[in-house]
Amino acid sequence: MNEHKDIYKFLLFIFCFFSAFFCFSQNEEGKNVFDKVVIDAGHGGNKPGALGTKFKEKDITLAVAIKLGKLINEHLKSVKVYYTRVIDQDIDLYKRSSVANKINADLFLSIHCNSATAKTAGGTETYAMGLGKTESNLEVAKKENAEILTEKGSLENYQGFDLNSPEGDILFSLYQNAYLQNSLDFAAKVQSQYTKNVPMKNRGVHQANFVVLWKAAMPAVLTEIGFISNPKEEEYIGSEYGQWTIAACIFRAICEYRNKVDNLTDAIPSIEKLIPQEVQEKENIRKQNEQIEQQRKQEEQKQIAEKQKQEQQIAQQKQQKERAEQKKKEGIDLVYRVQFLSSPTQLNNNDSRIADLEDVFSYNEKGSWKYTAGLFASQQEALDYQKKVKEKYADAFVVAFYQGKRVSIVEAKRLSSQKTQ
Ligand SMILES: [Zn+2]
């Protein structure tokens, strides 16, 4: 087994050396080398990839792939677009990069959607081939690689590939080594475009071993355009506007990368120019409707709060009445209150002047409405409460009622002493 691996490694070294040399000599001639891109829509057919609540990964990746191809055909006419699939079709992973190798493509781009059990997980990330350094990178690669387990004749097509072995990792990374720097460079450009233009977190550029990138003999990346398991992101990557924006981001990254490798200064269209007008108009209408809906919800919540407050007040008043009645029942017909306000007209129940006070009671005296707060069986209790009322109404004073009628404090004292005798 070990001998086998050594031969493998040697052959790979030779392969990498020559491919690097080949690229270099092409550049030396100064000819425009960047003219073929392979766009790979992840999954397809009976391999749907990750599932959202409304969308399937295979449909979103294809929609974005087609949109990206259209942008290249329209705005980058010197670059030819190749797809690994243009319909809902199952294609083995190893065949996807072999298409790119056959035509000697300059870039291989595999489009995917991420997923996680936590619905809050979100963001975009782009991978180049390499050793997965963190658990989460390995997880993403494992998920995307799992497809080979259901392919026919897997073993022959993926010789030397072991999904879980670190040695397998080393073999894979050798194939892509010659192109690693360019792959990472392109991946960084893609992420930078996402960061500027899509409403998702930038999860960065990483390296992990993806079977689909494994034998690509050219710069190759796998981009995860968002989490289908996150409801907000699923909505976005499932929408026409979201897909066009993502395609426009990748397109701009391709332009930047091409300018760099071919030493060009070609102008790159803005995102707005790349998204079809009718898609933008629809998005504007959607945003407006969303805003209206938000305002409606806010208004609704305000009304609910208002109603709750009113209900609370009614309940409070009812309680006060019950307390007063209870006191009456208990035979306390001499009560004390704190008078704080006099008004020529009767106040509304929700008047702010009586809002914070307890047991508000009003009575009419010589055509004027007097307002009192609190209900006490002793003058001392009323005097204590008077201090609190005075914080707002400096002139507040204690008044007494006997059997519902206002009596003077002197009279109340007399009645009180009679009672205790
Ligand atoms: Zn995928």
Side-chain angles (χ1 to χ4, degrees):
M1 276 304 274
N2 268 336
E3 254 174 57
H4 254 96
K5 271 179 187 153
D6 284 343
I7 293 166
Y8 237 134
K9 281 178 192 173
F10 177 72
L11 287 175
L12 279 168
F13 173 76
I14 299 291
F15 169 74
C16 294
F17 178 80
F18 279 105
S19 39
F21 179 75
F22 181 64
C23 288
F24 181 71
S25 64
Q26 265 199 332
N27 278 328
E28 273 294 273
E29 282 168 33
K31 86 175 199 202
N32 184 4
V33 290
F34 191 93
D35 56 6
K36 286 181 219 107
V37 174
V38 174
I39 307 172
D40 172 47
H43 314 278
N46 57 13
K47 297 191 181 97
L51 300 176
T53 51
K54 287 191 203 161
F55 302 102
K56 292 179 183 133
E57 182 181 356
K58 65 170 185 178
D59 298 323
I60 293 177
T61 58
L62 182 61
V64 173
I66 301 286
K67 287 177 174 73
L68 173 61
K70 276 187 188 163
L71 289 178
I72 298 171
N73 287 333
E74 197 182 324
H75 300 276
L76 211 55
K77 292 199 163 65
S78 63
V79 174
K80 202 158 172 7
V81 179
Y82 297 83
Y83 301 93
T84 52
R85 68 178 178 103
V86 286
I87 54 165
D88 186 15
Q89 184 183 14
D90 178 10
I91 294 170
D92 288 351
L93 288 180
Y94 75 95
K95 282 185 191 158
R96 296 178 186 239
S97 57
S98 75
V99 168
N101 290 347
K102 250 179 231 161
I103 58 156
N104 196 19
D106 302 300
L107 183 68
F108 178 82
L109 171 80
S110 191
I111 301 171
H112 287 258
C113 305
N114 231 327
S115 81
T117 19
K119 286 201 182 312
T120 48
T124 62
E125 57 193 4
T126 301
Y127 284 87
M129 195 73 178
L131 280 171
K133 289 187 184 76
T134 67
E135 266 306 306
S136 71
N137 295 353
L138 289 171
E139 274 309 306
V140 174
K142 257 190 205 173
K143 241 184 287 175
E144 302 292 9
N145 292 343
E147 259 189 36
I148 62 166
L149 301 173
T150 56
E151 287 175 10
K152 286 173 198 147
S154 259
L155 287 176
E156 303 133 46
N157 300 322
Y158 303 100
Q159 232 167 28
F161 191 98
D162 178 343
L163 280 172
N164 301 309
S165 130
E167 281 165 30
D169 283 347
I170 295 163
L171 281 180
F172 302 148
S173 37
L174 278 175
Y175 278 103
Q176 266 281 300
N177 241 3
Y179 313 100
L180 183 60
Q181 206 42 55
N182 278 355
S183 299
L184 288 172
D185 187 33
F186 175 66
K189 286 178 168 43
V190 172
Q191 280 308 123
S192 155
Q193 286 297 330
Y194 288 157
T195 309
K196 283 181 226 155
N197 303 299
V198 300
M200 284 186 245
K201 187 177 127 188
N202 174 10
R203 296 172 72 95
V205 171
H206 305 282
Q207 280 179 262
N209 291 303
F210 291 95
V211 187
V212 70
L213 305 179
W214 176 25
K215 283 186 179 172
M218 75 267 330
V221 305
L222 182 145
T223 185
E224 299 275 1
I225 61 171
F227 280 69
I228 202 168
S229 48
N230 175 320
K232 223 174 140 187
E233 294 194 1
E234 183 190 9
E235 194 71 47
Y236 186 80
I237 58 182
S239 75
E240 279 290 299
Y241 181 77
Q243 289 171 358
W244 274 110
T245 310
I246 289 161
C249 285
I250 302 171
F251 173 78
R252 280 171 57 86
I254 291 174
C255 293
E256 286 178 353
Y257 175 78
R258 172 177 168 267
N259 273 354
K260 193 182 168 194
V261 293
D262 285 354
N263 205 13
L264 302 168
T265 52
D266 287 1
I268 300 169
S270 67
I271 292 279
E272 292 72 33
K273 279 208 175 119
L274 295 168
I275 299 172
Q277 194 143 17
E278 72 271 15
V279 174
Q280 281 188 36
E281 276 161 15
K282 264 191 196 160
E283 173 65 7
N284 289 341
I285 293 169
R286 190 197 64 79
K287 268 190 189 154
Q288 274 169 9
N289 286 342
E290 198 180 62
Q291 230 170 11
I292 292 168
E293 179 63 9
Q294 227 167 17
Q295 277 168 353
R296 195 191 61 76
K297 269 189 190 157
Q298 273 172 359
E299 195 55 41
E300 203 178 83
Q301 273 170 345
K302 220 169 109 184
Q303 277 173 1
I304 290 171
E306 194 75 32
K307 207 176 156 194
Q308 274 176 342
K309 206 178 154 191
Q310 271 176 9
E311 278 170 1
Q312 237 171 10
Q313 270 175 354
I314 291 167
Q316 232 171 15
Q317 280 163 3
K318 200 179 151 196
Q319 216 179 22
Q320 283 166 8
K321 228 178 184 177
E322 278 169 6
R323 266 157 74 184
E325 258 159 31
Q326 186 63 27
K327 281 188 182 176
K328 228 178 185 178
K329 270 186 208 157
E330 282 165 5
I332 306 168
D333 39 21
L334 178 65
V335 293
Y336 297 86
R337 296 181 154 108
V338 177
Q339 190 165 316
F340 62 93
L341 189 74
S342 147
S343 163
T345 54
Q346 214 166 354
L347 305 179
N348 279 331
N349 278 347
N350 56 1
D351 192 293
S352 64
R353 283 171 287 181
I354 56 173
D356 305 328
L357 295 162
E358 292 166 20
D359 289 326
V360 173
F361 168 81
S362 64
Y363 67 99
N364 195 294
E365 196 181 60
K366 290 171 197 157
S368 160
W369 287 96
K370 315 285 182 193
Y371 280 85
T372 73
L375 180 64
F376 306 98
S378 76
Q379 192 192 0
Q380 193 49 52
E381 280 176 285
L383 283 166
D384 289 342
Y385 186 61
Q386 181 194 2
K387 283 180 205 157
K388 196 189 154 197
V389 181
K390 273 195 165 196
E391 286 168 16
K392 205 172 165 189
Y393 299 96
D395 298 329
F397 57 93
V398 173
V399 287
F401 289 82
Y402 183 67
Q403 287 176 343
K405 275 188 187 153
R406 169 86 193 269
V407 293
S408 72
I409 294 291
V410 178
E411 177 66 6
K413 268 187 184 159
R414 195 186 61 79
L415 287 163
S416 173
S417 65
Q418 247 180 16
K419 230 179 175 182
T420 47
Q421 273 167 12

